[in-house]
């Protein structure tokens, strides 16, 4: 090994704490890159292969009743590759060992063949026979949750008919990778199951002979999706279609896409920031190292080493620092990536899901992290290489300080000489102070991000499930019924209060923009199911017109008092004009609201409802659940009270992990920045501090000089960290938002306070380490050595 | 007749520091002869160090000519100067300038790795009397020992010329003598042309030739026909 390389190794060993501190920050960048990009690629590739092999549809449409001949005619549309008609139905499930009713979604299988679109992946057993009216193939997760195998049975209420079903096989469906039950916020495989039945069975149960109520289509590569969609909408107008929609609006697909989008943006935004901070740290220590080794550089050149050799020598040091970061980052990235993929398998139902380790990702990691570190060191290395040997042998000229805050006599009471010293150092190298501030702010921002998520989720739950949708459960009725049905529901055991709801799928039109959505008709002073205004206060329903969700209004580009057209697919495309009477905040779905009687009148009908919301006495839950299962006329049920509990449980389990990961990262960054800054300060000013000690100042007083400078930076970094944290949170919130789901941006003051405390504690810990050094300052040797 | 290794004519060097012109050399002329030991005397700021730096290719003159074996050093490119330092020049500085993270042997190896026909680092250390201290780091050695490592490092590549800037400046007389002995020995045994800058006038008794600098010029010079041994000199 060349002697200069030994020097590199010894330099790294000597500065191990600083090298490790920088390496860890760099490791965070590499880790995020490998973890997020790795998970992104795994998920994306699995999704693509699965969609392709199991023929996931491009267009989907639901209607009341579509004659089979109409569905057949879609084959001739230009750009259509395959068409599959189906009978779909919600179901209420009676599962053994579960008191509350479960929710199900049943789909029919074509006769004598596998579906041409949305083909199930059979894991075990077989699909139901065409002639069987009792056989079902159930989704794997649901099967696992209830420990069901082929041959087992359970009962369900489909379209008001109680049926005993026998499991013929276990399958997965590309349509239900993320299987969200009615009213649920996250998949709950215990309470929601998807299954296939024979067409014959569903035709009988749903009274749908010769017709379908759902169609999926696969398009040819390069086909015009909008054109096909337009033709389908036109053709299905008489059949109560709710409008064709693409993959973007398909629930399961849109959740996967949202996750993918988030991973992708994470892998693009986070690593550069970490690498920027580590590049700055490399710059800081290398600048100092080269200043300290000025004469050694001069000597190397005097011995005949070329500028290139000197530059290469220091570059090796930088590469070694990167190597530390890379090794830790790659290892952690691969491990956490595996963990993340494992986490996905809890929510996403894929037949296969492997964490993808691509070589190119590691190469990118190596190039980007070593590159950024070298870039950070470039100026210092260039300085070393271009230092003329004769100049290098002379000590550097004393640094110039500005006489800011010059002390006059008597000022001493306010600012001591020592304080002024500290503050002047702070101003002396403004760029470094700024970068240090930015690094600390980034650490604080990470802590803000960890907690903001909890704040915002809690706010969303509070707003949508406590303030707006306050009912414990909602039942959908099989047909539109007279409001008198409410009395029956009210009489069920344990029901405190029930309110009527009419939910109509509609298409909103304004100008050239059309948007699928729904209108909720409610009581004027509805208590259980309320609409919140833009400030999240309960809003009374207006006498005339409609309350439109803010997000929908933005998409439709419609203002207050303007009129929009509402199309009712269930009424053969009947269109009506409605005035926008106000805006509402809505985080789950895009439902507009109006008075029930106004909605009925708009649709040209008498008093009708199709759902009911109610409050229940939990102590009577078992009796209520039994009664619901045997109440005729119920199509499906959503149990908000259980969805909320499930979601809370899930959040409690995962929040701790997530917050700890972010906190660890925040501490790593704060420590990396503060520790290195203090070490550099100590190195640059050891002489000055020792001189102060010689003059008779105590260690504590001397330490104050350092504390003033670092303290000023840490304190000034706090508002910046809140601001950066807020910015990151905005980006994250926007990344989440889609038509189904949006989160309010809520950051409590407590969150900012905790984030700052995390940074302060890390900084104080570093200060403690510095104090150990200051108190041991060897006065004689420092003063004897040449600067 | 001994051949002149260096011929310096009308050498000037002007620095500009904080927009003030500093004239370090103002037309110095002299010759250094192969195999001789030359002592350069003079007060602080008289231009000795600048002169030595230019001679060693560490610095370039503002004007004037430095001929080394007939070649004009002042016309050398940065690359050629690096090669010149690598092959032909050994330096010894007042503050030793050892690399603290390398031990004695490694500090010497630093230069032997660069040259074609070097001494073995152990042999070089033997010459300066430090054969037993090869594994010691600079922090574990006295100033005199460190300076002798620096001399070993300078001579290990068998340079044509050894340039020493105040080699005993930071040492007491006893260790200073040890260092001077090492210099004299290499001058004799290896035939290395040696130039020594010093404040200490008694050191001139060791030299073949003595130049005194004043205000950037040569003030006086004389030839010493019978140089003394280091231990005979009175400090």
């Amino acid at each position: 090994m060349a002697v200069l390389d030994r020097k590199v190794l010894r330099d790294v060993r000597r500065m191990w704490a600083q090298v490790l501190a920088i390496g860890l920050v760099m490791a965070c960048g590499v880790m995020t890159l490998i973890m997020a990009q790795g998970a992104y690629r795994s998920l994306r590739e699995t999704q693509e292969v699965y969609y392709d092999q199991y023929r996931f549809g491009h267009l989907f449409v639901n209607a009341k009743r579509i004659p089979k001949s109409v569905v057949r005619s879609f084959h001739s549309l230009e750009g259509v590759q395959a068409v599959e008609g189906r009978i779909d139905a919600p179901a209420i499930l009676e599962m053994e060992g579960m008191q509350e009713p479960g929710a199900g979604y049943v789909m029919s299988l074509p006769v004598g063949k596998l579906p041409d679109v949305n083909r199930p992946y059979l894991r075990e057993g077989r699909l139901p026979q065409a002639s069987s009216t009792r056989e079902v193939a159930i989704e794997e997760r649901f099967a696992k949750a209830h420990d069901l195998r082929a041959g087992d049975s359970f009962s369900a209420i489909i379209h008001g008919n109680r049926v005993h079903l026998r499991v013929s096989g276990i399958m997965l469906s590309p349509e239900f990778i993320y299987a969200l039950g009615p009213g649920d916020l996250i998949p709950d495989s215990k309470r929601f199951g998807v299954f296939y039945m024979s067409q014959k069975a569903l035709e009988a149960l749903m009274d749908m002979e010769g017709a379908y109520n759902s169609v999926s289509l696969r398009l040819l590569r390069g086909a015009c999706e909008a054109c096909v969609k337009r033709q389908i909408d036109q053709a299905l107008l008489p059949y109560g279609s709710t409008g064709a929609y693409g993959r973007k609006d398909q629930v399961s697909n849109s959740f996967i896409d949202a996750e993918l989008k988030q991973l992708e943006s994470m892998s693009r935004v986070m690593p550069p920031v970490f690498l920027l901070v580590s590049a700055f740290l490399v710059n800081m220590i290398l600048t100092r190292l080269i200043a300290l080794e000025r004469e050694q550089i001069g000597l190397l050149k005097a011995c005949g080493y070329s500028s290139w050799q000197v530059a290469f020598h220091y570059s090796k040091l930088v590469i070694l620092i990167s190597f530390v970061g890379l090794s830790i980052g790659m290892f952690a990235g691969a491990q956490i990536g595996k963990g993340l993929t494992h986490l996905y398998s809890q929510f996403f139902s894929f037949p296969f899901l492997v964490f993808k380790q691509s070589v190119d990702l590691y190469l990118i990691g190596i190039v980007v992290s070593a590159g950024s570190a070298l870039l950070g060191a470039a100026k210092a290395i260039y300085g070393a290489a271009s230092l003329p040997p004769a100049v290098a042998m002379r000590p550097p000229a004393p640094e110039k300080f500005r006489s800011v805050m010059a002390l006059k006599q008597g000022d001493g009471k306010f600012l001591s000489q020592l304080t002024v010293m500290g503050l002047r150092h702070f101003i002396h190298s403004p760029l470094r102070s700024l970068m240090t501030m930015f690094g600390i702010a980034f650490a604080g921002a990470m802590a803000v991000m960890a907690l903001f998520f909890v704040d915002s989720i809690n706010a969303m739950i509070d707003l949508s499930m406590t303030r707006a949708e306050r009912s414990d459960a909602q039942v959908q009725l099989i047909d539109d019924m007279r409001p008198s049905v409410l009395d029956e529901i009210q009489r069920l055991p344990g029901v405190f209060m029930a309110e009527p709801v009419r939910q109509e799928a509609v298409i909103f039109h304004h100008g050239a923009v059309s948007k699928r959505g729904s209108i909720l008709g409610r009581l004027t002073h509805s208590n259980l199911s309320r609409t919140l205004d833009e400030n999240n206060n309960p809003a009374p329903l207006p006498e005339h017109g409609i309350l439109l969700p803010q997000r929908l209004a933005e998409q439709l580009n419609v203002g207050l008092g303007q009129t929009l057209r509402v199309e009712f697919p269930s009424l053969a495309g009947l269109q009506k004009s409605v005035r926008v009477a106000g805006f509402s905040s809505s985080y789950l779905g895009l439902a507009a609201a109006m008075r029930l009687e106004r909605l009925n009148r708009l649709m040209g009908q008498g008093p009708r409802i199709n759902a009911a919301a109610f409050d229940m006495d939990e102590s009577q839950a078992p009796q209520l659940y039994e009664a619901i299962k045997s109440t005729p006329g119920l199509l499906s049920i959503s149990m908000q009270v259980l969805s909320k509990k499930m979601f809370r449980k899930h959040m409690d389990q995962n929040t701790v992990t997530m917050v700890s990961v972010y906190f660890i990262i925040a501490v790593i960054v704060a420590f990396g920045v503060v520790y290195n800054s203090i070490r550099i300060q100590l190195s640059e000013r050891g002489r000055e501090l020792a001189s102060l000690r010689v003059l008779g100042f105590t260690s504590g007083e001397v330490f104050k000089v350092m504390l003033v400078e670092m303290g000023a930076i840490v304190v000034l970094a706090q508002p910046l960290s809140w601001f950066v944290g807020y910015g990151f949170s905005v980006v994250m919130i926007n990344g989440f938002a889609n038509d189904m789901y949006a989160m309010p941006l809520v950051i409590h003051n407590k969150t900012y306070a905790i984030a700052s405390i995390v940074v302060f504690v890390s900084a104080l810990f570093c200060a403690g380490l510095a104090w150990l050094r200051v108190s041991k300052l060897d006065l004689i040797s420092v003063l004897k050595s040449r600067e | 007749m001994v051949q002149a290794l260096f011929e310096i004519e009308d050498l000037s060097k002007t620095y500009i520091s904080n927009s003030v012109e500093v004239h370090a050399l103002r037309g110095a002329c002299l010759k250094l002869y192969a195999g001789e030991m030359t002592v350069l005397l003079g007060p602080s700021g008289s231009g000795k160090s600048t002169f030595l730096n230019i001679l060693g290719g560490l610095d370039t003159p503002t004007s004037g000519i430095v001929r080394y074996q007939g070649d004009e050093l002042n016309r050398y490119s940065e690359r050629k100067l690096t090669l010149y330092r690598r092959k032909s020049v050994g330096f010894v500085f007042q503050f030793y300038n050892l690399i603290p993270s390398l031990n004695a042997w490694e500090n010497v190896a630093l230069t032997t790795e660069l040259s074609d026909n070097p001494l073995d680092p152990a042999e070089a250390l033997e010459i300066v009397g430090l054969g037993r201290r090869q594994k010691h780091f600079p922090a574990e050695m006295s100033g005199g020992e460190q300076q002798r490592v620096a001399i070993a490092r300078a001579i290990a590549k068998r340079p044509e010329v050894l340039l020493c800037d105040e080699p005993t400046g930071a040492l007491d007389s006893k260790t200073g003598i040890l260092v001077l002995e090492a210099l004299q020995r290499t001058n004799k045994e290896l035939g290395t042309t040696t130039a020594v800058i010093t404040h200490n006038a008694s050191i001139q008794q060791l030299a073949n030739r003595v130049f005194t600098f004043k205000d950037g010029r040569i003030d006086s010079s004389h030839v010493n026909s019978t140089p003394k041994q280091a231990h005979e000199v009175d400090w």
Side-chain angles (χ1 to χ4, degrees):
Chain A
M1 191 194 285
V3 175
L4 268 189
D5 292 343
R6 289 190 206 181
K7 174 177 175 291
V8 172
L9 287 180
R10 286 182 195 153
D11 284 345
V12 168
R13 202 169 61 196
R14 184 168 50 85
M15 304 187 296
W16 70 269
Q18 282 163 279
V19 169
L20 187 68
I22 298 174
L24 283 174
V25 176
M26 200 180 278
C28 290
V30 176
M31 180 193 80
T32 334
L33 177 76
I34 287 182
M35 185 260 300
Q37 265 293 324
Y40 172 82
R41 288 179 182 192
S42 308
L43 203 56
R44 169 66 86 205
E45 197 157 302
T46 311
Q47 182 200 34
E48 275 172 6
V49 171
Y50 190 25
Y51 279 3
D52 199 50
Q53 287 183 359
Y54 290 86
R55 307 191 180 184
F56 183 55
H58 293 105
L59 276 176
F60 310 86
V61 61
N62 299 92
K64 272 236 172 305
R65 185 185 185 96
I66 318 166
K68 286 185 176 172
S69 59
V70 175
V71 174
R72 269 195 300 274
S73 72
F74 291 159
H75 281 283
S76 58
L77 292 179
E78 196 187 326
V80 171
Q81 187 195 43
V83 181
E84 194 64 68
R86 219 166 54 184
I87 303 167
D88 289 2
I92 297 171
L93 308 180
E94 299 176 307
M95 304 309 298
E96 209 174 299
M98 198 169 95
Q99 283 182 339
E100 66 270 28
Y105 195 81
V106 207
M107 301 166 289
S108 71
L109 280 169
V111 182
K113 62 165 188 139
L114 284 169
D116 287 333
V117 186
N118 302 331
R119 193 168 273 186
Y121 171 96
L122 197 63
R123 182 77 91 191
E124 192 186 305
R126 57 172 174 76
L127 291 174
Q129 280 175 338
S131 59
S132 160
T133 53
R134 294 286 173 262
E135 283 185 347
V136 283
I138 59 173
E139 208 272 331
E140 186 178 41
R141 240 155 240 280
F142 179 69
K144 276 190 185 151
H146 292 281
D147 200 18
L148 290 172
R149 310 289 301 260
D152 292 344
S153 53
F154 64 96
S155 336
I157 300 160
I158 303 172
H159 209 246
N161 307 290
R162 170 170 284 113
V163 275
H164 293 281
L165 304 169
R166 207 169 59 80
V167 178
S168 69
I170 290 168
M171 57 90 196
L172 288 91
S173 162
E175 261 180 295
F176 292 94
I177 296 172
Y178 193 83
L180 210 52
D184 280 349
L185 295 162
I186 49 165
D188 182 353
S189 48
K190 192 103 185 151
R191 290 192 303 112
F192 180 65
V194 175
F195 44 100
Y196 276 105
M197 280 181 92
S198 71
Q199 194 165 302
K200 187 182 161 195
L202 276 172
E203 276 178 351
L205 286 168
M206 301 280 293
D207 200 10
M208 290 283 280
E209 281 84 4
Y212 297 122
N213 63 6
S214 139
V215 183
S216 312
L217 300 98
R218 258 180 91 81
L219 304 181
L220 292 167
R221 201 178 287 272
C224 163
E225 190 180 304
C227 312
V228 178
K229 181 178 173 301
R230 206 162 39 237
Q231 295 177 70
I232 288 176
D233 283 343
Q234 193 63 41
L236 293 184
L237 210 55
Y239 306 109
S241 145
T242 50
Y245 56 94
R247 286 184 175 181
K248 188 170 76 68
D249 294 318
Q250 205 267 348
V251 178
S252 160
N253 182 70
S254 77
F255 271 95
I256 303 171
D257 277 353
E259 189 64 38
L260 283 168
K261 196 169 132 194
Q262 221 188 314
L263 282 174
E264 165 114 277
S265 66
M266 187 184 193
S267 74
R268 281 180 201 284
V269 177
M270 300 314 279
V273 186
F274 284 115
L275 294 179
L276 185 73
V277 174
S278 56
F280 158 65
L281 295 180
V282 168
N283 167 284
M284 200 159 71
I285 74 159
L286 216 70
T287 306
R288 181 57 194 158
L289 183 71
I290 283 173
L292 282 176
E293 294 190 351
R294 196 181 152 98
E295 287 173 16
Q296 295 183 33
I297 294 163
L299 171 96
L300 289 175
K301 290 193 170 180
C303 289
Y305 282 88
S306 69
S307 299
W308 274 110
Q309 283 170 310
V310 171
F312 192 48
H313 168 65
Y314 286 104
S315 303
K316 279 183 190 163
L317 181 69
V318 176
I319 288 169
L320 214 59
I321 296 175
S322 315
F323 179 75
V324 172
L326 268 168
S327 323
I328 302 173
M330 283 179 172
F331 178 76
Q335 292 307 312
I336 298 181
K338 271 183 207 154
L340 195 63
T341 311
H342 177 72
L343 192 71
Y344 284 146
S345 58
Q346 281 180 31
F347 295 102
F348 296 119
S349 182
F350 285 109
F352 40 83
L353 182 60
V354 186
F355 180 61
K356 205 166 143 50
Q357 308 249 31
S358 0
V359 179
D360 69 316
L361 217 52
Y362 287 83
L363 286 179
I364 291 173
I366 292 172
V367 171
V368 169
S369 55
S372 62
L374 282 172
L375 218 62
K379 196 173 161 234
I381 291 179
Y382 176 76
S386 58
L387 203 60
V391 177
M393 306 304 285
R394 287 196 295 269
E399 292 179 81
K400 272 191 176 176
F401 282 81
R402 270 164 277 172
S403 74
V404 276
M405 293 178 291
L407 287 190
K408 291 189 214 96
Q409 260 188 339
D411 282 354
K413 281 176 206 145
F414 178 59
L415 285 178
S416 72
Q417 286 283 7
L418 294 186
T419 310
V420 171
M421 254 177 88
L423 289 177
R424 275 193 197 152
H425 270 282
F426 170 69
I427 301 163
H428 175 57
S429 32
L431 187 66
R432 193 167 87 188
S433 301
L434 268 176
M435 284 301 292
T436 310
M437 234 157 79
F438 169 76
I440 295 169
F442 179 54
M446 295 305 292
V448 170
M449 262 172 78
L451 297 168
F452 117 84
F453 197 75
V454 182
D455 291 350
S456 295
I457 287 260
N458 282 335
M460 186 187 82
I461 298 303
D462 177 54
L463 288 173
S464 55
M465 300 192 92
T466 312
R467 296 183 79 173
E469 208 52 65
R470 306 202 295 174
S471 59
D472 290 336
Q474 260 205 26
V475 286
Q476 262 70 42
L477 311 175
I478 289 178
D479 292 308
D480 293 353
M481 292 187 180
R482 296 186 155 278
S484 57
V485 72
L486 208 63
D487 298 336
E488 284 175 45
I489 293 167
Q490 185 83 65
R491 276 200 295 274
L492 289 173
V495 170
F496 279 141
M497 186 204 292
E499 280 182 0
V501 178
R502 176 164 196 169
Q503 182 162 20
E504 276 302 318
V506 297
I507 303 170
F508 296 101
H509 301 279
H510 184 250
V513 192
S514 297
K515 198 80 204 162
R516 294 169 68 241
S518 62
I519 299 182
L520 288 172
R522 291 176 178 150
L523 294 181
T524 312
H525 293 289
S526 165
N527 205 12
L528 290 179
S529 183
R530 305 190 295 190
T531 302
L532 304 181
D533 66 16
E534 292 155 276
N535 301 320
N536 296 322
N537 294 317
L541 292 171
E543 170 86 39
H544 297 283
I546 195 168
L547 285 183
L548 205 60
Q550 188 75 43
R551 285 189 295 142
L552 186 58
E554 279 163 20
Q555 290 176 19
L556 288 168
N557 193 22
V558 60
L560 192 67
Q562 285 186 309
T563 306
L564 47 79
R565 278 175 302 125
V566 177
E567 180 184 331
F568 294 94
S570 59
L571 301 175
L574 171 77
Q575 293 204 4
K576 291 281 183 179
S577 290
V578 184
R579 200 177 65 89
V580 178
F583 298 116
S584 62
S585 71
S586 167
Y587 301 106
L588 301 175
L590 287 179
M594 64 194 298
R595 290 190 183 184
L596 180 59
E597 71 273 14
R598 290 277 162 204
L599 178 61
N600 282 327
R601 201 175 304 161
L602 195 67
M603 295 176 73
Q605 296 175 340
R608 282 276 184 281
I609 65 169
N610 60 11
F614 60 84
D615 243 1
M616 59 187 253
D617 174 3
E618 286 210 40
S619 66
Q620 289 194 57
Q623 294 92 312
L624 175 64
Y625 294 149
E626 276 315 306
I628 285 174
K629 287 174 196 168
S630 53
T631 303
L634 300 188
L635 188 64
S636 70
I637 178 161
S638 55
M639 305 286 310
Q640 277 88 348
V641 65
L642 297 177
S643 300
K644 204 152 80 178
K645 270 187 194 154
M646 170 80 183
F647 189 75
R648 281 251 179 266
K649 196 174 131 207
H650 163 78
M651 279 302 294
D652 291 345
Q653 278 170 0
N654 287 289
T655 307
V656 177
T657 319
M658 197 192 70
V659 171
S660 338
V661 167
Y662 273 103
F663 269 22
I664 290 171
I665 292 178
V667 169
I668 285 175
V669 175
F671 190 83
V673 175
V674 177
Y675 181 71
N676 273 298
S677 301
I678 289 188
R679 286 301 302 266
I680 301 289
Q681 264 198 59
L682 260 175
S683 154
E684 284 176 349
R685 295 162 58 191
R687 229 177 129 74
E688 187 181 302
L689 301 178
S691 310
L692 289 175
R693 292 276 284 116
V694 171
L695 290 176
F697 288 99
T698 66
S699 304
E701 284 165 328
V702 168
F703 188 57
K704 199 176 120 190
V705 180
M706 297 192 57
L707 221 52
V708 163
E709 182 179 348
M710 207 57 234
I713 291 178
V714 173
V715 168
L716 285 174
Q718 294 317 306
L720 188 62
S721 84
W722 303 333
F723 184 74
V724 175
Y726 183 85
F728 278 142
S729 307
V730 169
V731 171
M732 234 168 124
I733 284 276
N734 291 339
F736 271 122
N738 58 26
D739 282 358
M740 274 156 242
Y741 197 83
M743 256 203 286
L745 176 59
V746 175
I747 308 181
H748 296 310
N749 288 340
K750 198 173 129 199
T751 290
Y752 290 125
I754 293 175
S756 292
I757 288 172
V758 169
V759 172
F760 276 127
V761 169
S762 310
L764 275 176
F765 181 68
C766 297
L769 292 179
W771 164 249
L772 289 179
R773 287 191 164 254
V774 169
S775 59
K776 284 185 199 152
L777 214 55
D778 183 348
L779 305 182
I780 309 301
S781 76
V782 171
L783 290 178
K784 262 172 77 180
S785 72
R786 283 209 312 169
E787 200 15 41
Chain B
M1 170 75 192
V2 201
Q3 193 146 18
L5 190 66
F6 285 97
E7 290 172 85
I8 292 98
E9 292 172 19
D10 205 16
L11 197 65
S12 296
K13 176 74 184 180
T14 309
Y15 293 107
I16 296 176
S17 169
N18 290 336
S19 59
V20 179
E21 284 197 357
V22 180
H23 299 281
L25 288 171
R26 309 163 186 254
C29 299
L30 60 86
K31 287 179 183 175
L32 296 183
Y33 293 90
E36 280 191 358
M37 181 182 266
T38 306
V39 162
L40 308 173
L41 288 170
S44 281
S46 61
K48 311 181 299 285
S49 292
T50 306
F51 175 77
L52 205 71
N53 284 345
I54 293 173
L55 223 56
L58 289 179
D59 211 345
T60 49
T62 312
S63 67
I65 297 168
V66 183
R67 255 186 229 105
Y68 168 70
Q69 294 183 331
D71 252 13
E72 283 191 26
L73 271 189
N74 46 298
R75 291 177 185 273
Y76 274 20
S77 65
E78 179 60 42
R79 213 179 76 80
K80 264 185 116 175
L81 277 177
T82 301
L83 278 176
Y84 162 69
R85 293 197 298 265
R86 185 179 292 193
K87 289 202 180 315
S88 315
V89 189
F91 281 103
V92 177
F93 302 100
Q94 179 179 4
F95 291 102
Y96 339 127
N97 290 71
L98 300 180
I99 308 271
S101 54
L102 299 178
N103 64 30
W105 188 92
E106 289 163 342
N107 262 291
V108 179
L110 208 53
T111 60
T112 59
E113 281 181 357
L114 285 177
S115 45
D116 302 328
N117 180 30
L119 295 175
D120 184 68
E123 193 185 339
L125 285 167
E126 205 67 60
I127 292 177
V128 296
L130 288 175
R132 288 159 174 273
R133 310 275 288 168
Q134 295 185 27
K135 296 284 170 223
H136 288 76
F137 282 87
E140 298 162 346
M141 290 189 276
S142 70
E145 285 172 326
Q146 289 186 54
Q147 191 59 299
R148 282 186 283 156
V149 174
I151 294 170
R153 181 177 63 192
I155 60 166
K157 62 179 172 187
R158 300 181 198 272
E160 295 286 334
V161 54
L162 185 61
L163 304 175
C164 313
D165 192 348
E166 298 275 9
T168 57
L171 303 173
D172 60 70
S173 62
K174 211 171 144 197
T175 39
I177 286 168
L178 285 175
V179 166
L180 290 172
E181 273 177 345
L183 283 177
Q184 264 189 329
R185 196 169 153 202
T186 56
N187 174 250
K188 274 210 188 88
E189 289 182 10
L190 302 173
T192 316
T193 309
T194 308
V196 179
I197 287 182
T198 183
H199 268 104
N200 188 336
S202 40
I203 292 177
Q204 62 181 300
Q205 301 169 54
L206 310 181
N208 300 99
R209 212 173 285 269
V210 178
F211 294 97
T212 308
F213 277 72
K214 195 178 172 189
D215 298 330
R217 292 189 191 90
I218 307 295
D219 189 45
S220 65
S221 69
H222 69 270
V223 177
N224 198 355
S225 51
T226 52
K228 284 189 178 171
Q229 290 303 303
H231 60 86
E232 299 167 346
V233 175
D234 209 19
W235 283 40

